[in-house]
């Protein structure tokens, strides 16, 4: 038996952050080469993710790397001069009050001991001419004329290293793939295909409107026929595949033998499989294994990563020389409800008039295999508080001033312990008790890392739609009277209104963490990505208003 296969293959060539607009409006997109960059990196990397300039860790590590590049001779000659112009200044007493103990210790170790790489980068970037590819050194410190060519070469290499630490999108990219109102990624990509009734524009737009971070796969995508991506100078390119092969029979471990009196695998006892009458899935699997398992054949075909393949025809020649044309399963099944597997569904955008016809396409997305993920730099739990008729965003972990993960609950408890110790010192070691006169409070104390979300009607919504959003609010600090703002980036948007349906009763957990992977071209990529997962249920802090409680008495 022989098989002749004809197919068409095309590569993803465009990328657009956010949801594309409906036709006839064309959505502007940027070129995308799946052989150079994995799709997760393209989607998840944060806009402007150059190392955080205020992070002490970044200042230290980039400064140390600059000194390493100088080498022994140049370091001995210019290290003191660079330390004088770009020092890491010691912390003031006010800065210490707003920092955690680990960050304070980290800063004290390196203060005035290494170059501040963030400030050095800012000044050197001012002298960089991208058109000419030349660098003018800052006025200070003074570099000897004989050493300037070597210093310019080393500084150019250091600038390139600094900007390549973390992968970031093109600054000209107009939008961001991360959507705060849903705490999800939303993007679109496209490839050229042959024009057909299902794809009249010759372009297949693939969308992923609810990607929650982590790992992409083919089932994360849908086809959107109501969109068209536009890239200047784009020309469709479709490759034709013609292949003649001898198919091989499908086999799997424990498969029953197809011949009489043949010894079967002793590791599998098919007769011992017990299936109750209502376990239809197991019964179907057993029927397939016992009756139809030797009716399937495998035709190998190599595809490029990041490609869309459409099989045009499959022609089979049997031992009698008869040719049989094999049609797709979708053409043999009832109209409107075809059986299919590993095929993309269609995103109708709620328009039921859009036909959901099968396209018989196979999508091999340019996604990562094994990769490394660091500990969360930031983690927020969004949960409902039905008693208070609101929701809370609890900052469990944030990035500390030193650039390290900081547990905000432990830090808050540490602040409370220090305040209690100061009270005991002022009262000569006497512990305060709640037995004084009644004190009136507008509300009970809210921890610094609990951010309120109150229900509001989103802008532009109508009363008939009855849509509700959860808007980020603020609380007053009980002592200073100032508004308490979130520290992390996840809840930093202002205003921030999250769709109510995105915070269910079980809550959600949103985190930011470093991701590291190596792509098929051998290039390593480091970026910061978000991830959304199921939370830990409802919660609250017993918020009450108009409270009269006994005051402290020593």
């Amino acid at each position: 038996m022989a098989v002749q296969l004809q197919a068409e293959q095309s590569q993803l060539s465009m990328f657009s952050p956010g949801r594309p607009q409906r036709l006839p409006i064309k959505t502007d997109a940027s070129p995308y080469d799946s052989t150079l960059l994995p799709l997760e990196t393209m989607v998840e990397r944060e806009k402007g993710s150059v190392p955080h300039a205020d992070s002490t860790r970044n200042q230290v590590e980039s400064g140390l790397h600059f000194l390493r590049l100088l080498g022994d001779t140049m370091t001995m000659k210019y290290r003191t001069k660079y330390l004088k112009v770009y020092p890491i200044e010691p912390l003031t007493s006010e800065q210490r009050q707003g920092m955690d103990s680990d960050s304070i210790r980290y800063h004290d170790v390196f203060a005035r001991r290494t170059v501040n790489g963030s400030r050095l980068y800012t000044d050197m970037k001012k002298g960089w001419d991208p058109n000419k590819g030349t660098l003018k050194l800052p006025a200070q410190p003074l570099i000897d004329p004989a050493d300037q060519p070597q210093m310019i070469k080393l500084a150019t290499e250091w600038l390139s290293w600094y900007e390549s630490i973390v992968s970031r999108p093109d600054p000209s990219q107009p939008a961001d793939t991360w959507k705060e109102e849903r705490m999800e990624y939303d993007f679109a990509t496209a490839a050229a295909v042959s024009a057909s009734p299902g794809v009249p524009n010759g372009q297949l737009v693939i969308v992923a409107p609810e990607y929650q971070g982590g790992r992409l796969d083919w089932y994360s995508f849908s086809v959107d026929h109501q969109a068209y991506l536009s890239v200047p100078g784009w020309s469709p390119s479709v490759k034709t595949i013609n292949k003649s092969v001898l198919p091989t029979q499908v086999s799997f471990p424990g498969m029953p033998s197809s011949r009489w009196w043949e010894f079967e695998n002793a590791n599998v006892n098919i007769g011992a499989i017990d299936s109750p009458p209502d376990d239809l899935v197991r019964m179907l699997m057993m029927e397939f294994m016992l009756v139809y398992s030797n009716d399937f054949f495998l035709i190998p075909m190599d595809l490029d990563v990041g490609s869309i393949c459409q099989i045009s025809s499959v022609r089979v020649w049997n031992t009698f020389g008869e040719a049989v044309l094999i049609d797709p399963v979708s053409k043999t099944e009832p109209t409107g409800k075809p059986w299919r597997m590993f095929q993309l569904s269609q995103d109708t955008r709620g328009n039921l008039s859009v036909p959901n016809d099968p396209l018989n396409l196979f999508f091999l997305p340019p996604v990562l295999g094994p990769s490394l993920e660091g500990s969360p730099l930031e983690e927020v739990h969004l949960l409902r508080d039905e008693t208070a008729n609101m929701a809370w965003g609890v900052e469990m972990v944030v990035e500390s001033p030193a650039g390290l993960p900081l547990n905000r609950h432990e830090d808050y408890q540490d602040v409370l312990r220090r305040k209690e110790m100061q009270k005991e010192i002022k009262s000569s070691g006497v512990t305060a008790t709640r037995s004084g006169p009644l004190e009136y409070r507008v509300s009970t104390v809210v921890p610094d890392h609990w951010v309120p979300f109150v229900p509001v009607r989103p802008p532009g919504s109508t009363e008939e739609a009855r849509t509700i959003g959860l808007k980020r609010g603020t609380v007053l600090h009980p002592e200073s009277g100032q508004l308490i703002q979130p520290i992390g980036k996840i809840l930093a948007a202002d205003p921030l209104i999250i769709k109510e349906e995105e915070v269910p009763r079980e809550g959600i957990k949103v985190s930011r963490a470093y991701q590291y992977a190596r792509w098929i071209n051998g290039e390593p990529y480091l970026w910061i990505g978000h991830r959304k997962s199921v939370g830990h249920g409802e919660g609250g802090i017993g918020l009450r208003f108009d409270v009269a409680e006994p005051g402290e008495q020593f």
Side-chain angles (χ1 to χ4, degrees):
M1 185 169 62
V3 173
Q4 184 181 19
L5 183 143
Q6 292 183 351
E8 292 182 347
Q9 177 184 340
S10 57
Q11 291 289 126
L12 295 179
S13 56
M14 288 173 282
F15 178 84
S16 174
R19 191 65 177 270
Q21 299 183 21
R22 292 191 181 188
L23 287 172
I25 301 176
K26 296 182 179 181
T27 304
D28 293 334
S30 57
Y32 171 61
D33 189 348
S34 59
T35 63
L36 300 179
L37 190 67
L39 200 53
E40 284 99 340
T41 307
M42 187 76 175
V43 173
E44 295 181 5
R45 57 187 183 176
E46 293 181 345
K47 196 171 184 179
S49 291
V50 174
H52 191 28
D54 296 332
S55 168
T56 308
R57 184 179 181 182
N58 171 62
Q59 297 172 2
V60 170
E61 293 185 354
S62 57
L64 290 174
H65 187 68
F66 176 76
L67 296 177
R68 282 193 295 268
L69 288 178
L70 293 183
D72 295 338
T73 304
M74 299 284 282
T75 300
M76 291 179 62
K77 194 171 182 179
Y78 295 105
R79 181 178 185 275
T80 304
K81 294 183 178 181
Y82 272 101
L83 279 176
K84 185 177 180 180
V85 179
Y86 299 102
I88 295 180
E89 299 290 351
L91 295 171
T92 62
S93 57
E94 287 141 6
Q95 289 174 328
R96 290 177 180 272
Q97 291 178 359
M99 294 176 63
D100 60 290
S101 56
D102 290 341
S103 297
I104 292 174
R105 286 192 295 268
Y106 187 91
H107 193 103
D108 290 343
V109 168
F110 295 100
R112 297 192 182 278
R113 288 186 174 92
T114 188
V115 175
N116 188 328
S118 297
R119 287 182 52 204
L120 179 62
Y121 169 79
T122 302
D123 288 353
M124 282 193 173
K125 192 64 177 177
K126 295 176 182 177
W128 173 253
D129 188 347
N131 298 323
K132 298 180 180 180
T134 57
L135 176 66
K136 181 181 179 181
L137 294 174
Q140 295 293 331
L142 294 175
I143 308 297
D144 294 342
D147 296 331
Q148 284 195 9
Q150 183 180 0
M151 183 64 74
I152 290 175
K153 179 182 178 182
L154 295 175
T156 303
E157 181 181 349
W158 181 78
L159 278 176
S160 177
W161 169 85
Y162 190 96
E163 294 180 346
S164 64
I165 296 176
V166 179
S167 179
R168 53 177 178 160
D170 192 333
S172 62
Q173 181 174 300
D176 197 356
T177 55
W178 179 254
K179 305 303 177 185
E180 291 92 354
E181 66 271 14
R182 294 196 178 275
M183 293 293 165
E184 296 170 341
Y185 291 103
D186 188 357
F187 67 96
T189 183
V193 294
S194 297
S196 64
V199 191
N201 298 317
Q203 183 189 101
L204 189 72
V205 178
I206 301 175
V207 297
E210 297 179 357
Y211 172 47
Q212 300 182 358
R215 291 293 176 269
L216 278 168
D217 213 329
W218 67 270
Y219 46 78
S220 306
F221 301 89
S222 302
V223 176
D224 190 352
H225 289 311
Q226 304 178 73
Y228 188 91
L229 303 187
S230 175
V231 173
W234 176 78
S235 59
S237 176
V238 180
K239 183 173 75 173
T240 302
I241 300 175
N242 291 305
K243 194 170 186 179
S244 298
V245 295
L246 297 177
T248 57
Q249 195 168 17
V250 172
S251 63
F252 52 88
M255 178 177 174
S257 300
S258 58
R259 298 177 57 187
W260 291 103
W261 315 115
E262 181 180 349
F263 287 103
E264 296 185 342
N265 190 346
N267 295 325
V268 179
N269 186 358
I270 299 177
I273 298 178
D274 186 17
S275 177
D278 57 347
D279 194 348
L280 300 180
V281 175
R282 185 178 302 186
M283 295 173 65
L284 287 172
M285 182 61 75
M286 289 178 59
E287 183 178 3
F288 165 79
M289 182 173 60
L290 295 172
V291 181
Y292 303 105
S293 59
N294 62 340
D295 293 342
F296 288 83
F297 291 85
L298 179 66
I299 302 174
M301 185 171 63
D302 295 330
L303 297 176
D304 298 329
V305 174
S307 65
I308 297 174
C309 179
Q310 184 174 21
I311 297 178
S312 305
S313 66
V314 177
R315 195 175 298 272
V316 180
W317 278 268
N318 57 23
T319 54
F320 301 101
E322 299 173 336
V324 180
L325 183 64
I326 307 297
D327 290 327
V329 177
S330 58
K331 292 186 178 181
T332 62
E333 293 292 321
T335 304
K337 295 183 179 180
W339 182 91
R340 53 186 174 175
M341 182 179 290
F342 300 114
Q343 290 194 19
L344 301 179
S345 59
Q346 298 192 38
D347 189 347
T348 61
R349 303 195 186 198
N351 186 0
L352 300 180
S353 63
V354 176
N356 192 18
D357 298 329
L359 299 175
N360 300 316
L361 298 171
F362 180 79
F363 180 39
L364 185 60
V367 296
L368 294 169
S371 60
L372 301 177
E373 181 176 351
S375 301
L377 289 174
E378 188 176 345
E379 183 177 304
V380 173
H381 291 188
L382 288 163
L383 47 90
R384 285 180 176 269
D385 186 352
E386 297 294 349
T387 303
N389 193 27
M390 59 186 299
W392 296 97
V394 186
E395 290 187 320
M396 304 300 294
V397 178
V398 296
E399 189 174 0
S400 70
L404 304 172
L406 170 66
N407 189 310
R408 289 216 62 189
H409 175 72
E410 294 180 358
D411 182 62
Y412 178 72
Q413 296 298 325
D414 187 46
V415 171
L416 294 181
R417 283 192 294 267
R418 290 201 297 266
K419 290 181 179 179
E420 290 297 328
M421 291 176 61
Q422 292 175 359
K423 289 181 180 179
E424 291 186 7
I425 292 174
K426 292 181 180 179
S427 61
S428 302
V430 179
T431 304
T433 59
R434 288 284 181 180
S435 57
L438 291 178
E439 294 181 354
Y440 171 79
R441 294 184 178 87
V442 177
S443 68
T444 53
V445 177
V446 177
D448 295 351
H449 58 291
W450 283 65
V451 181
F453 281 82
V454 294
V456 297
R457 193 179 300 280
S461 63
T462 60
E463 186 175 352
E464 292 77 11
R466 296 184 178 180
T467 56
I468 298 296
L470 299 173
K471 184 178 181 179
R472 195 199 75 194
T474 54
V475 294
L476 292 175
H477 194 279
E479 297 178 357
S480 65
Q482 297 179 350
L483 296 176
I484 301 176
Q485 302 290 345
I487 297 178
K489 291 186 176 181
I490 294 178
L491 304 179
D494 189 20
L496 175 59
I497 302 178
I498 302 176
K499 302 290 186 181
E500 184 199 19
E501 62 269 18
E502 297 298 333
V503 186
R505 292 189 62 182
E506 59 269 21
I508 59 173
K509 181 174 69 174
V510 184
S511 60
R512 292 174 62 245
Y514 277 107
Q515 313 282 336
Y516 182 83
R518 192 177 294 274
W519 192 225
I520 56 177
N521 58 356
E523 286 291 326
Y525 290 97
L526 176 69
W527 71 97
I528 298 178
H530 294 73
R531 177 174 292 191
K532 174 184 174 182
S533 57
V534 180
H536 302 288
E538 299 179 355
I541 52 173
L543 180 65
R544 293 177 296 159
F545 297 95
D546 295 330
V547 180
E549 294 179 338
E552 292 184 348
Q553 184 175 9
F554 294 94

